[in-house]
Coordinates of all heavy atoms in Angstrom, one line a residue:
T404 N -76.8 -135.4 78.7 CA -78.0 -136.2 78.9 C -78.4 -136.3 80.3 O -79.6 -136.2 80.7 CB -77.7 -137.6 78.3 OG1 -77.3 -137.5 76.9 CG2 -78.9 -138.5 78.4
R405 N -77.4 -136.5 81.2 CA -77.7 -136.5 82.6 C -78.2 -135.2 83.1 O -79.2 -135.2 83.9 CB -76.4 -136.9 83.4 CG -76.0 -138.4 83.2 CD -74.9 -138.8 84.1 NE -73.7 -138.1 83.9 CZ -72.7 -138.5 83.1 NH1 -72.9 -139.6 82.4 NH2 -71.6 -137.8 82.9
Q406 N -77.6 -134.1 82.7 CA -78.1 -132.8 83.1 C -79.5 -132.5 82.6 O -80.3 -131.8 83.3 CB -77.1 -131.7 82.6 CG -75.8 -131.7 83.3 CD -74.9 -130.6 82.7 OE1 -75.2 -129.9 81.7 NE2 -73.6 -130.5 83.3
A407 N -79.8 -132.9 81.4 CA -81.2 -132.7 80.9 C -82.2 -133.4 81.7 O -83.3 -132.8 82.0 CB -81.2 -133.1 79.4
Q408 N -81.9 -134.6 82.1 CA -82.8 -135.3 83.0 C -83.0 -134.6 84.3 O -84.1 -134.4 84.8 CB -82.3 -136.7 83.2 CG -82.3 -137.6 81.9 CD -81.6 -138.9 82.1 OE1 -81.1 -139.2 83.2 NE2 -81.7 -139.8 81.1
R409 N -81.8 -134.1 84.9 CA -81.9 -133.3 86.2 C -82.7 -132.0 86.0 O -83.5 -131.7 86.8 CB -80.5 -133.0 86.7 CG -79.8 -134.2 87.3 CD -78.6 -133.8 88.2 NE -77.6 -133.1 87.4 CZ -76.6 -133.6 86.7 NH1 -76.5 -134.9 86.7 NH2 -75.7 -132.9 86.1
R410 N -82.5 -131.3 84.8 CA -83.2 -130.0 84.6 C -84.7 -130.3 84.5 O -85.5 -129.5 84.9 CB -82.6 -129.3 83.4 CG -81.4 -128.5 83.6 CD -81.1 -127.5 82.5 NE -81.0 -128.2 81.2 CZ -79.8 -128.6 80.7 NH1 -78.7 -128.5 81.5 NH2 -79.8 -129.2 79.6
Q411 N -85.1 -131.4 83.8 CA -86.5 -131.7 83.7 C -87.1 -131.8 85.1 O -88.2 -131.3 85.3 CB -86.7 -132.9 82.9 CG -86.4 -132.7 81.4 CD -86.5 -134.0 80.6 OE1 -86.8 -135.1 81.2 NE2 -86.3 -133.9 79.3
L412 N -86.4 -132.5 85.9 CA -86.9 -132.7 87.3 C -87.0 -131.3 88.0 O -88.0 -131.0 88.7 CB -86.1 -133.7 88.1 CG -86.1 -135.1 87.6 CD1 -85.1 -136.0 88.3 CD2 -87.5 -135.7 87.7
E413 N -85.9 -130.5 87.9 CA -85.9 -129.2 88.5 C -86.9 -128.2 87.9 O -87.5 -127.4 88.6 CB -84.5 -128.6 88.4 CG -83.4 -129.3 89.2 CD -82.0 -128.8 88.9 OE1 -81.9 -127.9 88.0 OE2 -81.1 -129.3 89.5
D414 N -87.1 -128.3 86.6 CA -88.1 -127.4 86.0 C -89.5 -127.7 86.5 O -90.3 -126.8 86.7 CB -88.1 -127.6 84.4 CG -86.8 -127.0 83.8 OD1 -86.2 -126.2 84.5 OD2 -86.5 -127.4 82.7
R415 N -89.8 -129.0 86.7 CA -91.1 -129.3 87.2 C -91.3 -128.7 88.6 O -92.3 -128.1 89.0 CB -91.3 -130.8 87.2 CG -91.6 -131.4 85.8 CD -92.2 -132.8 85.9 NE -91.2 -133.7 86.4 CZ -90.3 -134.4 85.7 NH1 -90.4 -134.3 84.3 NH2 -89.5 -135.3 86.2
D416 N -90.2 -128.9 89.4 CA -90.3 -128.3 90.8 C -90.3 -126.7 90.7 O -91.1 -126.1 91.5 CB -89.0 -128.7 91.6 CG -89.0 -130.2 91.8 OD1 -90.1 -130.8 91.7 OD2 -87.9 -130.7 92.1

Side-chain angles (χ1 to χ4, degrees):
T404 302
R405 290 190 295 271
Q406 289 178 358
Q408 293 174 357
R409 285 195 301 270
R410 278 199 299 273
Q411 288 177 359
L412 295 173
E413 292 174 357
D414 288 341
R415 284 195 293 269
D416 295 339

